[in-house]
Amino acid sequence: MLTSEALPSKTVTAAHLYKSSWAVVVELALGFSDIDDVRNGLLFWKPIVHAIDTAQLCFTHDTQTNSLVAQVLNSALLTEKLSSYGQRVMGASWAAPSSARAMTLTFADIDKAA
């Protein structure tokens, strides 16, 4: 688990690892053809989904550990707290996590994390 924190349900969403427009490569990359297969999805904290959707964060496959590793692509985000980013991008629909640790997590904390 990337954050290792319990998060408010309204700030967590299911998302594709390979987005729908990449359906043609999913079989090559993952070994199945249905883009909506459960193996092509994870539950994410919405600030992370937004960062992925805006090409500021991605996941790479570590073949040695057979795990997905977060890669922050926008170095300007490294010092930003995920909770502050979430509040900024989600506005009124944002719900702060109850965990003090989750409130202090930065993009640097998840960069290179499996």
Side-chain angles (χ1 to χ4, degrees):
M1 198 158 106
L2 194 59
T3 65
S4 299
E5 296 296 321
L7 301 165
S9 61
K10 73 184 227 178
T11 66
V12 177
T13 189
H16 287 106
L17 293 170
Y18 284 76
K19 59 186 180 177
S20 296
S21 62
W22 298 346
V24 294
V25 299
V26 103
E27 188 166 8
L28 291 171
L30 301 177
F32 50 86
S33 59
D34 181 5
I35 195 76
D36 293 323
D37 189 292
V38 296
R39 295 172 289 179
N40 183 37
L42 287 174
L43 288 176
F44 285 108
W45 197 10
K46 286 183 181 180
I48 292 172
V49 172
H50 185 274
I52 293 167
D53 289 347
T54 57
Q56 299 180 87
L57 176 73
C58 72
F59 287 87
T60 57
H61 181 247
D62 182 337
T63 56
Q64 292 181 345
T65 62
N66 195 29
S67 60
L68 294 174
V69 178
Q71 303 284 322
V72 176
L73 303 174
N74 179 355
S75 61
L77 286 181
L78 289 171
T79 59
E80 186 163 6
K81 292 178 183 174
L82 286 156
S83 59
S84 299
Y85 181 83
Q87 187 172 23
R88 181 165 50 87
V89 300
M90 293 176 61
S93 67
W94 175 248
S98 57
S99 157
R101 181 178 177 277
M103 290 296 292
T104 63
L105 281 172
T106 66
F107 277 91
D109 294 326
I110 65 167
D111 188 37
K112 314 262 185 305

